[in-house]
Amino acid sequence: AVATSYIYLDAGHGKVSSTKGVYDSGAVGNGYEEAKLTAELVTLTAKYARELYGLKVYSNVNTNVEYWNRQEDALERGCTSLVSIHFNASDSGGTGCESYIHSRNAAPGATKLQSIMHEYLLNGTGLRDRGKKSAALAVCSGVDTDLPGTLLEVCFIDNSYDMKKYKERKDTIARELAAGLYEAAKDGF
């Protein structure tokens, strides 16, 4: 199963994420910008996935693919699953990590992929578990693709405690996410 796995590791936001010709920073807080953090974490996670586990991983970092077309882009590249990395924000002082699948159009297997990646995200961050959720997030919609996808919210960019933990554990988080990708690949994702 690992030999046939090809994971689309998506860095949320950035260049042309939602509008052609427009840079989408995503959430901002504590001097950080989500698009820069997702690019950094995806790059590091992909490096460990390749080096430690021999995984085939496509890193979608600062490409010209809008978020609602990333499922199709993954399918065209021959990918077998999609994991999108994000950082959260809240006006009410949120903390912790959470994961999502599409609420109406989750592809077969998306729930299992979410469960695998959620466990490794928790292990990596050491933050509060905000749970496994669903929402109508286009990047993890399996409509017309049947490609299992999940979106991970690593921590709250506007919470200084969360960001301190992220900076301290960034390498651990990347290694845990890579291990999660390996487990997912063993399960056929």
Side-chain angles (χ1 to χ4, degrees):
V2 172
T4 60
S5 174
Y6 186 22
I7 299 165
Y8 191 98
L9 191 56
D10 177 53
H13 304 280
K15 183 179 171 185
V16 192
S17 176
S18 55
T19 306
K20 288 230 182 269
V22 177
Y23 177 79
D24 174 12
S25 66
V28 293
N30 291 302
Y32 298 103
E33 183 179 290
E34 182 177 10
K36 290 179 181 173
L37 293 176
T38 62
E40 173 186 61
L41 186 56
V42 161
T43 300
L44 190 56
T45 300
K47 173 184 180 282
Y48 288 139
R50 292 178 188 119
E51 291 177 1
L52 300 176
Y53 302 103
L55 294 179
K56 187 175 178 188
V57 177
Y58 173 75
S59 302
N60 182 46
V61 176
N62 289 319
T63 62
N64 289 315
V65 181
E66 296 94 344
Y67 68 87
W68 58 85
N69 289 326
R70 292 183 183 171
Q71 279 271 334
E72 187 64 36
D73 186 48
L75 196 63
E76 288 174 5
R77 293 175 185 283
C79 293
T80 52
S81 63
L82 181 147
V83 176
S84 188
I85 304 295
H86 290 258
F87 286 76
N88 222 333
S90 168
D91 293 333
S92 58
T95 183
C97 56
E98 59 195 14
S99 62
Y100 287 87
I101 58 171
H102 201 278
S103 54
R104 293 182 316 276
N105 299 315
T111 301
K112 186 169 186 180
L113 176 64
Q114 177 189 30
S115 292
I116 292 168
M117 294 310 299
H118 188 88
E119 176 187 336
Y120 284 90
L121 176 63
L122 287 175
N123 290 343
T125 65
L127 292 170
R128 177 177 162 237
D129 181 359
R130 294 177 53 89
K132 294 179 276 189
K133 303 176 179 183
S134 66
L137 302 169
V139 73
C140 52
S141 171
V143 71
D144 298 328
T145 64
D146 279 340
L147 190 74
T150 189
L151 184 146
L152 308 177
E153 295 278 9
V154 176
C155 68
F156 280 78
I157 197 170
D158 55 353
N159 180 307
S160 58
Y161 174 79
D162 276 26
M163 287 309 297
K164 181 178 184 286
K165 290 284 275 189
Y166 171 72
K167 292 310 264 183
E168 289 172 355
R169 297 177 61 99
K170 177 175 54 178
D171 191 71
T172 300
I173 294 167
R175 287 176 183 272
E176 283 290 330
L177 292 177
L181 295 176
Y182 179 61
E183 183 176 328
K186 290 191 299 185
D187 271 356
F189 291 104

